[in-house]
Amino acid sequence: MESDQAQAAVDSPSGVTQAPRTQDTVTGDTVTEKGNKADAEPAEATPLTAEAAPRAAHGTPAAGHLTLLMIEDDPGGSPIVPELLDPTGKPIRVRTARNLTEAERLLTDDVHCILLDLALPAPGRSADGADDELAVLKHVLRIAPQHAVLALTASGDTERGAEAVRVGAQDYLFRDELDGRLLSRAIRYAVERKRSDRAERKLTESKLRAQENARLERGLLPTPLLEGSPLRFAARYRPGRSRALLGGDFYDTVRTPDGTVHAMIGDVCGHGPDEAALGVELRIAWRALTLAGLCGDELLGTLQQVLEHERADDEIFATLCTVDIAPDGRRAGLCLAGHPSPLLACPGRPAELLPYDNNGPALGLLPGARWPRMQVELGAEWSLMLYTDGLIEGRTGAGRRERLGQDGMVAMIRRQLAEGLRGEELLRAAVNEVRDLNGGELTDDVAVLLLDRAP
C-alpha cells in the first residue's frame, strides 16, 4: 500500500513531487512520511535527497537547478499543479515541510527559495491567537537570512502581502491564484532579486567600511602642525596586513607656541583594526598632551595610563619614540619607550643611530616605569629619521633567513643618501628596497618619519 502511494507520488502528472502520506496511529494527524511529528526526522528532498542534491552557497543555483522549500501546513492540498521549470526547462526541485521545525531541518545551503504560508502559527504562539500576523515570516527571515522568500497569502489579501515584502520577503503570491508558470517565474525572480539585494548590501557595506577607514586613516596618519617652522617633513606608511589600509603604527609632529617641534612615532603590538584604533587614541592623546605643555617622562607616564585604560587585553603594549627639537633646531631631547633609536644624518659624516643606552620599557609593561630624557646635539644641518621595527625586521640574504636589522638599515640609508636621495624620495626608496630584500610584502607594519633642517 505504502509503496503504491510512493510510486504514485513520483509519477504524479502535476510535476510537483509529493512525499507519501500516512496517518499517525496515536493522534490521527496526517503527516509527511519520515516527518510524522514536529520532533521527528525531516522529510527527504524529492525527487533527489538532500545528500544527492548539488551544494550551492546561499541561493546561487548549482548546475542550473533550483530547489524550493515549501512551508505549508498541508502541502498535499496545495493548489500548485503543473510542473515547475527553471529557465533551462529543468524541473525545480521541491521539498515540503508542514511546520517550521521540519523547515529548519530541510533548510540546507542548496535551497534557493522558500515558499512560506503566512497562515502558519509562529513558534510559541497559538494558531489562532498571534498578535503579529507576520511573526512566522519574521522567524523564517531570522533563520534563513541568505535565502529568497516568497510569501503565500489568502486571495485578495494585498495589504498583508505588501507588508510581507516590506518586512523582507522578495514577493507575495495569492494561494488561490497559483499555477505552475506563475510560481516558476516568481521563484526565479525572487532568487535573482535576493542575489541583487545581497550584492547591493555588500556594496553599501564596502562603501561604509571605506568611509570608516578613511576617518581612521585621518586619525592615524595626521597632517603635521609645523606652521612657522623651517623644518621639512616627510612620512611613509605601509600596513602589514594583506589588503589593509591601516595597522598598529602611528606618528605625529606638532610645533608648540614657543617654537619647539615635537615628533613622535609608535607601534602597538599586533596588526589588526583594534591595534590601529588604539594607535589613533594614543596619537591623539600625545598631540593633546604635547600642546598642553607636557613632555618627556611626564608625557609618557600619562600615555601609559591612557593605554592601560583603553587596551582590550592586559598583554597589549606599545613602543614609542619622542623627540623635542629646540627652537634653534640645533639640539633635541630624546625619550625611548622600548623603541628603536632614530637615525641622524649630517653633512660630512656617516649617518648613525642616536644613543639608546637609557631606553625605557614599552608602555603598558611596567606600572610606575620611568623614561629618561637624553639631550642630543644635532648641528646646523641634519636629517632625522624615526621609524618602526617593521623597517628593520624584514628578511634578507640567501634563503631569506637573516633579518635586515639596524646595521643593515643604516648601511642602506647611507648608500641612498650618497646617491642623492632626500625627503619623500628617500623614504620611498628605503621602504621599497626593504620589501624587495624581503622577497615580497612585509608581515609587519612600517611607518617612517623624516625631519630635515637645511642651513
Side-chain angles (χ1 to χ4, degrees):
M1 177 67 174
E2 291 180 357
S3 60
D4 293 338
Q5 288 176 331
Q7 185 62 42
V10 173
D11 296 337
S12 170
S14 69
V16 178
T17 307
Q18 304 291 344
R21 304 173 67 75
T22 185
Q23 293 288 325
D24 189 292
T25 57
V26 177
T27 65
D29 293 337
T30 303
V31 294
T32 304
E33 190 162 323
K34 293 190 178 179
N36 292 339
K37 293 289 184 184
D39 58 352
E41 292 298 321
E44 297 292 329
T46 55
L48 295 177
T49 63
E51 290 76 16
R55 305 292 290 176
H58 302 307
T60 301
H65 287 284
L66 288 172
T67 300
L68 173 71
L69 175 59
M70 184 165 59
I71 310 174
E72 192 181 18
D73 59 352
D74 187 14
S78 171
I80 306 167
V81 276
E83 64 180 357
L84 305 177
L85 302 176
D86 67 15
T88 65
K90 298 177 182 178
I92 295 176
R93 298 187 181 92
V94 179
R95 298 180 185 178
T96 58
R98 67 188 297 258
N99 53 51
L100 294 177
T101 304
E102 285 184 8
E104 289 191 45
R105 294 170 180 171
L106 293 173
L107 190 60
T108 52
D109 285 345
D110 54 328
V111 171
H112 307 109
C113 185
I114 299 171
L115 179 62
L116 174 67
D117 185 357
L118 296 181
L120 282 174
R125 297 180 183 271
S126 62
D128 58 350
D131 53 1
D132 186 350
E133 292 185 343
L134 296 178
V136 65
L137 172 62
K138 294 175 182 177
H139 179 81
V140 169
L141 293 174
R142 282 195 298 272
I143 66 174
Q146 302 297 326
H147 293 77
V149 178
L150 288 171
L152 191 61
T153 188
S155 181
D157 194 356
T158 305
E159 183 176 347
R160 191 179 188 187
E163 182 67 10
V165 173
R166 187 192 68 79
V167 168
Q170 272 59 59
D171 204 350
Y172 68 92
L173 302 169
F174 295 136
R175 186 182 297 104
D176 300 332
E177 299 179 7
L178 279 181
D179 59 37
R181 181 177 297 178
L182 172 63
L183 182 56
S184 296
R185 185 169 62 248
I187 292 170
R188 298 195 299 268
Y189 167 79
V191 170
E192 292 303 323
R193 180 173 178 180
K194 184 65 176 182
R195 186 183 304 156
S196 175
D197 289 345
R198 286 201 305 270
E200 184 176 355
R201 183 169 61 252
K202 288 180 179 179
L203 179 60
T204 300
E205 291 173 352
S206 178
K207 290 180 179 178
L208 290 175
R209 283 195 299 270
Q211 293 171 359
E212 291 172 356
N213 284 336
R215 288 194 293 269
L216 188 58
E217 187 174 21
R218 284 197 298 271
L220 193 62
L221 311 179
T223 301
L225 296 179
L226 288 175
E227 185 177 357
S229 172
L231 302 184
R232 293 174 298 183
F233 171 90
R236 196 77 176 166
Y237 187 90
R238 185 187 295 272
R241 290 180 297 142
S242 175
R243 300 180 64 185
L245 296 177
L246 303 168
D249 293 1
F250 55 99
Y251 61 83
D252 201 355
T253 305
V254 298
R255 180 177 183 267
T256 48
D258 64 355
T260 301
V261 172
H262 304 261
M264 171 271 289
I265 196 164
D267 181 2
V268 178
C269 67
H271 314 292
D274 292 337
E275 288 76 13
L278 182 56
V280 171
E281 293 180 82
L282 292 175
R283 187 204 66 76
I284 293 174
W286 177 86
R287 176 175 282 202
L289 293 170
T290 299
L291 292 175
L294 274 67
C295 67
D297 186 74
E298 185 179 13
L299 171 60
L300 292 176
T302 308
L303 285 178
Q304 174 157 284
Q305 294 180 35
V306 173
L307 181 144
E308 291 171 346
H309 282 86
E310 297 297 331
R311 63 186 175 184
D313 190 295
D314 289 344
E315 300 298 320
I316 299 296
F317 63 91
T319 66
L320 201 69
C321 168
T322 67
V323 176
D324 53 277
I325 302 169
D328 63 6
R330 292 178 172 271
R331 61 189 183 279
L334 171 66
C335 285
L336 297 174
H339 200 87
S341 184
L343 183 144
L344 177 66
C346 300
R349 66 186 191 201
E352 59 184 1
L353 297 175
L354 293 180
Y356 52 90
D357 296 338
N358 291 327
N359 196 339
L363 302 181
L365 289 183
L366 299 176
R370 303 299 298 271
W371 296 271
R373 179 177 178 274
M374 297 172 282
Q375 190 73 19
V376 179
E377 295 297 325
L378 300 177
E381 184 178 355
W382 47 263
S383 293
L384 185 65
M385 189 178 81
L386 286 63
Y387 54 93
T388 57
D389 58 9
L391 189 68
I392 60 177
E393 291 188 349
R395 301 289 179 175
T396 184
R400 317 289 182 196
R401 295 180 180 179
E402 302 294 331
R403 296 193 182 275
L404 177 64
Q406 286 183 297
D407 291 342
M409 181 206 66
V410 170
M412 178 186 70
I413 296 298
R414 286 176 177 175
R415 173 173 46 78
Q416 292 172 342
L417 288 170
E419 295 170 357
L421 300 180
R422 297 291 186 275
E424 190 76 38
E425 189 179 18
L426 172 65
L427 298 189
R428 184 184 304 109
V431 173
N432 288 342
E433 182 169 336
V434 169
R435 182 192 59 189
D436 293 341
L437 290 171
N438 190 61
E441 290 296 338
L442 301 164
T443 57
D444 199 3
D445 307 323
V446 177
V448 192
L449 183 156
L450 186 67
L451 289 171
D452 290 307
R453 183 178 189 271

